[in-house]
Amino acid sequence: MFKECLENVKKNQPLVHNITNYVTVNDVANVLLACGGSPIMSDDQEDVEDITSICGGLNINIGTLNRNTIPSMFLAGKKANSLGHKVLLDPVGAGASGLRTRTANDLLKEVRFDVIRGNISEIRTLIDGSGTTKGVDADLADAVTEENLEETVAKLKAFSKSIGSVIAVTGAIDLVTNAEKCFVIRNGRPEMGRITGTGCQLSGLMTAYITANPANVLEAAAAAVCLMGLAGEIGYDNLQPGEGNSTYRNRIIDAIYNMDGETLEKGANYMVL
Amino acid sequence: MFKECLENVKKNQPLVHNITNYVTVNDVANVLLACGGSPIMSDDQEDVEDITSICGGLNINIGTLNRNTIPSMFLAGKKANSLGHKVLLDPVGAGASGLRTRTANDLLKEVRFDVIRGNISEIRTLIDGSGTTKGVDADLADAVTEENLEETVAKLKAFSKSIGSVIAVTGAIDLVTNAEKCFVIRNGRPEMGRITGTGCQLSGLMTAYITANPANVLEAAAAAVCLMGLAGEIGYDNLQPGEGNSTYRNRIIDAIYNMDGETLEKGANYMVL
Amino acid sequence: MFKECLENVKKNQPLVHNITNYVTVNDVANVLLACGGSPIMSDDQEDVEDITSICGGLNINIGTLNRNTIPSMFLAGKKANSLGHKVLLDPVGAGASGLRTRTANDLLKEVRFDVIRGNISEIRTLIDGSGTTKGVDADLADAVTEENLEETVAKLKAFSKSIGSVIAVTGAIDLVTNAEKCFVIRNGRPEMGRITGTGCQLSGLMTAYITANPANVLEAAAAAVCLMGLAGEIGYDNLQPGEGNSTYRNRIIDAIYNMDGETLEKGANYMVL
């Protein structure tokens, strides 16, 4: 199944419009190209509706939101909705500031998202309407563990049901769920947290996957999570002595570039709850 | 001839002012340093005239244009014109949105460009005044091929004559032309299209080349195209098993860093029409 | 002593708020992660006070300042001051434009900085209140040399005394000084100047170091300079044939990632004046 998801991306070369932060935007573009998609970045209010119209998917990431780009997120999101495009939200830092929490909540009200992807603290903020995220990384206290797994999955399924979006929570254990079915994924390496923007990269990747697999959004989102994690494992194995997080970043994107469907299918490490 | 162009860049270390997109800006800066130039980025309306005044060349790239940076492009362009600096336009995505097409056309009216560098769809948009570019990549239907080569060259020569700028169209076959003479260049690798921003990098590089070779703009622009393509070939040959587009990006910039005049002269693959 | 500085960063994982330029921001984030810190980027006026409140340190870099981010620098700086956070200024291009010189001078008036880090031309501009920086690199005429070393140190000590900030000047010879004590540092490689943003990276790193070592700001700032320079030496030694500035960038960050306290202590090359 994941094999087909990957091959559909390579075949369809989905054009993805990204309104994303300037910190990790280059890596997001290269990841989209690596997986077989095609990236466009545009964030001006006069530009976003035209650009999103020629794309198949829209990736909204609030990592460095500002007064000029926030209105663009709403304009592009509504336009993409009206055209039936796939739309993903990455609520970076929701819970860490009033502006981020408010913007994420308002986006949820006015735009229909096919997938929301964040860390557990960000998603908890969206569920509760407020939060206390420590920066752009998840709070340890929020972490998904073996002990709270079932409870967390139940909570996420209820949230997915209430808003009608697939929810993807990434961390040591990744959860990708709709109202009924949750993929519990154990790919990846802890060292990926020492690279800036692996979450943003995954959001770009995931938008390409759901755009190229419109009838299987849940599976496509899960495939993207497995791909990113598996690339993290392969990239780690390829590290040479003396290499660190900067080269690791390149090796992960390289592994995505070289991934084929069989390797993904075989390396994906998940169960369904 | 290309040897002298390269050596003039290394000797003169041209300072290049870039108003460019935030997606590929870091690579543009590193490419400028790699070739022997020196980059400055500045895009605020209060800052650009001062900054462009201390530079020798100006590179305007509309890849992530917005309401704040568009007026800066006009201010910097006019200032650079008044000082006799070399000015290049990279009309990223012209044809893909009304704002991009309009901005590129307006820039052509108010600023004199020594070179315009884009893909064939973007250049066609400028020639026709409107277009239907599919995103930031060229439409397949527009591609320069062996069959339409002569016709395309004639069209570009006419356009160059009408606006007085050297026109550089990059793709599988690259064309660099003024009203009379066209370099048809066949360096490069198709895999370069799987890296974000190789076009933006070339525009930065080319601005350094024309700035350091003011009396030979056409040849300098052609030399930059050959350099970028040849670096793409060398970088590709240096790829190790398991490496992909992210490392390829580094290897191309590394190859520019290590390029000398003789290697460029020998590796340049072109004919003149 | 530098060993303890490094270990405090790895232990405390200081959260650093960066208002920085979009050219080198990704590398700044990866350097902060490499050294053991944690980066957050935020530059909107409505966002910066909340974000800086949850951090321990603030890094203000004016490399691509604009009308939206300048007010944010003042808001965040004052908020960080009121909370007793460590604050660093990187006056990129002060002296190269009126806006940059004016903004840097105004920031000095309204915000208390624990450290100011720049090249010698930028620092001279701050001392004199005006300047003629040639772009974002130091003027050769300003360079710190063996001949003018004592005189320069005396001038910097006086400046440090007058504004109450540690002054860090980086170049071929690095100087880190307060009113009484100056570290004269000779780590690093000239080739680091061929990579964009090694100065910006150092400013990020230094903010993490002073945040995790609040009682020893001078020593922590000097440790960060030695670390960056030593990583430049190690990264250079790790370069393979055919590699250039793009890969060198990765190898430097990788070397920071792998640095331990003993290697830093042993490799630091400095004297105290």
Side-chain angles (χ1 to χ4, degrees), chain C residues 255-272:
Chain C
I256 293 168
Y257 183 91
N258 288 306
M259 190 77 68
D260 59 42
E262 256 123 67
T263 308
L264 175 58
E265 197 79 56
K266 206 172 140 187
N269 182 4
Y270 67 93
M271 62 177 197
V272 173

Side-chain angles (χ1 to χ4, degrees), chain B residues 196-245:
Chain B
T196 191
T198 46
C200 305
Q201 292 172 37
L202 175 54
S203 290
L205 197 63
M206 197 180 278
T207 310
Y209 267 64
I210 63 175
T211 302
N213 296 280
N216 295 295
V217 168
L218 178 68
E219 287 72 19
V225 171
C226 289
L227 169 56
M228 189 78 203
L230 185 58
E233 297 168 18
I234 295 170
Y236 191 83
D237 289 341
N238 288 340
L239 283 177
Q240 303 299 311
E243 294 182 344
N245 64 332

Side-chain angles (χ1 to χ4, degrees), chain A residues 56-60 76-81 84-89 111-116 207 210-211:
Chain A
L58 171 64
N59 171 29
I60 296 179
K78 289 174 185 178
K79 186 73 175 182
N81 278 170
H85 293 179
K86 295 296 168 194
V87 188
L88 180 145
L89 174 66
V111 177
R112 205 188 70 75
F113 290 97
D114 296 279
V115 183
I116 303 168
T207 310
I210 63 175
T211 302

Side-chain angles (χ1 to χ4, degrees), chain C residues 150-190:
Chain C
E150 279 192 40
E151 179 196 351
T152 306
V153 168
K155 200 168 181 178
L156 295 177
K157 281 184 176 174
F159 183 51
S160 174
K161 189 170 181 184
S162 76
I163 62 164
S165 308
V166 166
I167 308 298
V169 172
T170 52
I173 301 172
D174 304 313
L175 305 173
V176 182
T177 195
N178 62 17
E180 282 101 35
K181 187 176 169 182
C182 180
F183 287 84
V184 179
I185 300 168
R186 294 167 204 269
N187 286 109
R189 297 270 327 172

Side-chain angles (χ1 to χ4, degrees), chain A residues 16-77:
Chain A
V16 175
H17 175 200
N18 301 274
I19 303 179
T20 188
N21 67 76
Y22 60 82
V23 185
T24 64
V25 60
N26 185 267
D27 292 329
V28 170
N30 273 327
V31 159
L32 275 163
L33 287 161
C35 77
S38 185
I40 305 181
M41 277 63 180
S42 159
D43 64 15
D44 189 74
Q45 294 158 53
E46 281 189 65
D47 203 46
V48 292
E49 292 178 299
D50 279 2
I51 293 296
T52 220
S53 297
I54 59 169
C55 291
L58 171 64
N59 171 29
I60 296 179
N61 173 309
I62 66 168
T64 52
L65 79 184
N66 66 51
R67 58 181 58 193
N68 288 324
T69 56
I70 292 171
S72 304
M73 295 174 189
F74 286 87
L75 286 169

Side-chain angles (χ1 to χ4, degrees), chain C residues 51-112:
Chain C
I51 292 296
T52 220
S53 297
I54 59 169
C55 291
L58 172 63
N59 172 29
I60 296 179
N61 175 308
I62 65 168
T64 52
L65 79 184
N66 65 51
R67 58 181 58 193
N68 288 324
T69 56
I70 292 171
S72 303
M73 294 174 187
F74 286 88
L75 286 169
K78 289 175 183 177
K79 185 73 176 182
N81 278 171
S82 78
L83 295 167
H85 294 179
K86 295 296 168 195
V87 188
L88 180 145
L89 175 65
D90 188 336
V92 181
S97 78
L99 181 66
R100 287 163 194 258
T101 304
R102 200 160 61 244
T103 301
N105 283 329
D106 289 350
L107 281 167
L108 287 190
K109 278 179 210 139
E110 299 196 30
V111 176
R112 205 187 70 73

Side-chain angles (χ1 to χ4, degrees), chain C residues 8-37:
Chain C
N8 283 335
V9 173
K10 293 193 185 263
K11 193 174 63 193
N12 299 335
Q13 300 176 33
L15 209 53
V16 175
H17 175 199
N18 302 274
I19 302 180
T20 189
N21 67 76
Y22 59 83
V23 185
T24 65
V25 60
N26 186 267
D27 292 330
V28 170
N30 273 327
V31 160
L32 275 163
L33 287 162
C35 78

